[in-house]
Amino acid sequence: MYRDYIQFKAFSRRAVILGGAQMALASALVGRLYYLQVIEADRYKKLSEENRISLRLLAPPRGLIVDRFGNPLAVNKQNYRVVIVAEQTPDLEQTLDALAQIITVNDFDRRRTLKEVSRKRPFLAVTVRENLSWEEVARVEVNTPDLPGVTVDVGQSREYILGDQAGHVIGYVGAVAESDLGDDPLLEIPGFHVGKNGIEKTYDLALRGKAGTSEVEVNAIGRVIRELNRDEGKSGAEMVLTLDRDLQKFAIERLGGNSGAVVVIDIHSGEVLVMASAPGFDPAIFNQGMTEAYWHELTSDPKGPLINKVSAGQYAPGSTFKTMVALAGLDSGVVNPQHRVFCTGEVVMGDSHFHCWKKEGHGSLDMHEGIMKSCDVYFYDVSHRVGIDRMADMARRFGLGSALGIDLPGERPGLMPDSNWKLGTTGVSWQPGETLVAGIGQGFSLATPLQLAVMLGRIVNGGNAIVPHLSRDLVEHDTVRPRPQPSFAPVGVSAAALKVVVEGMIAVANDPHGTAYAARIAEAGFEMGGKTGTSQVRRITKAERLSGVKKNEDLPWEERDHALFIGFAPISEPRFACAVVVEHGGGGSKAAAPIVRDVLLETQKRHLSSGPLAKGDESAPGGEG
């Protein structure tokens, strides 16, 4: 009995100790649960929501680009693309092989897809091909059961209305490169495109818009279960350009397949109405996918389709530069409008002979006639008297020799040499004969067609230093932000000197003795003035002159002269300036002046409120300049 009592007493102590321990553990557990669920409830609720809800960025629609009348130039269109999720297919390469039997999947698409799959988590979709046709979409959809992990997705891609007729101006978009990365989270969105050239690049930030968001529920490994909330964000701003879409098309078509450039500007505001460079390229190809064959074709073409010849093509200005020589002479007082020179067809300086384009000579001329007939000998004389440094200074005042700041990437500065430039560049002093060559726009001098149009605009607008631009308004969520209207400083040349040059250019196209009379605008109220130019691309040797220089059309294309013409209209109250370069086109009066005539006539009919519409006469003879 006693033994039983001792055993019971020992058991009771163990039970109390065990029970006490259990109670202590239970109390600690309850306390911890209370701490976590009550005291720390808000903190852990937040952490739970952050783990359960994933916030993802959505690419906004890119802003439209339109012309001055609201006509679309760059828009967005539905883009059907085929995507693949690696974890949903047992054999990725085999699935790609099967897909290639249904739609075109080239080697580049395949390599890129495999590379992206290797870099991404296996449950994320990777684009195999974009811009599927409806027929291709249907074929993929029908064969979906045999293509595990493959689906068709819908997005947006860029469409360019004018195609290769405005590719240099509008530019194009492309995938984000490492050099494009910055603070903008949009750049991290798979498949997001940024501006790579042209207006698309210059105004890329405004065109991008504001990212949207998608709140999705995800599981522990990050796979999407369902979408909880969606904000589409804000589309990019609409960019209104100064371009006239239909006039741009007209200018390109008027070039007629020639390699060259046409630019039209408003001489009072600097607005660019036409910026046409030919041949062009289709900017959509950079968005849709460039083949190696097409890239090789573009880069190896001697006509340079990737170069914007208006702002980046550099040419000797030829006889268009005689306007600068005349103004330098008049402004310095070295010569006056009555200054006369007798042209025999050549000038001899030392052992060198400098020829006039008119072999038999022009006879006696004053400045008005020198400009009208584009006499080389007259401007040899004036340039020799004025000197290269005065000519270069005048040319720079009118926009030659440096970039104008057009709102496009890739503008080239041209070159306006002077004695310091020659000495610093070559270590050799400037030679007197080089002044004569520079006086007719040859030698070292280089200018872009845009610079020539601005030069002309500054002459005929009374000497105001206009600056060209392409942007007009920015429309952001129904709010129009117009471009500020700048005031242009005067170039510092007298009105009397400008008048002499303007009247000489009016005679070029309207006097029967003018070099561009055959290309005049004969419709009353629409007449133009201008200046011819021919830019040599090679030196004509003495032997060639003695044996008879071949005509341009008898030479290989790349050895022919460039044809230039600058024109303004209407002569009664000038508003528009146009510059045309036809590469290897020959004489400016024959190849370039008729294009300027037609473009300026069309410009006036589209942009002036009234005027006669009679057809012009092209039958009269004209000269060369």
Side-chain angles (χ1 to χ4, degrees), residues 52-94:
R52 185 173 67 88
I53 305 301
S54 176
L55 188 65
R56 302 187 176 186
L57 291 176
L58 299 175
R62 192 169 178 83
L64 306 183
I65 301 175
V66 301
D67 80 344
R68 64 192 301 119
F69 300 118
N71 297 314
L73 295 169
V75 298
N76 302 312
K77 67 174 182 177
Q78 272 193 329
N79 170 24
Y80 292 98
R81 51 180 177 248
V82 60
V83 300
I84 189 167
V85 179
E87 74 168 8
Q88 295 177 2
T89 178
D91 189 325
L92 179 62
E93 298 219 23
Q94 186 176 345

Side-chain angles (χ1 to χ4, degrees), residues 256-279:
N258 288 302
S259 177
V262 181
V263 56
V264 178
I265 65 171
D266 185 309
I267 66 169
H268 301 297
S269 67
E271 292 187 350
V272 178
L273 281 75
V274 171
M275 182 176 275
S277 179

Side-chain angles (χ1 to χ4, degrees), residues 180-218:
D180 299 319
L181 293 175
D183 297 332
D184 192 343
L186 277 172
L187 302 176
E188 301 293 337
I189 298 176
F192 186 74
H193 285 175
V194 296
K196 293 290 187 178
N197 204 350
I199 290 295
E200 291 275 30
K201 181 175 182 178
T202 301
Y203 297 102
D204 180 58
L205 291 178
L207 292 166
R208 285 182 193 176
K210 183 179 178 182
T213 57
S214 173
E215 291 185 12
V216 293
E217 185 177 359
V218 296

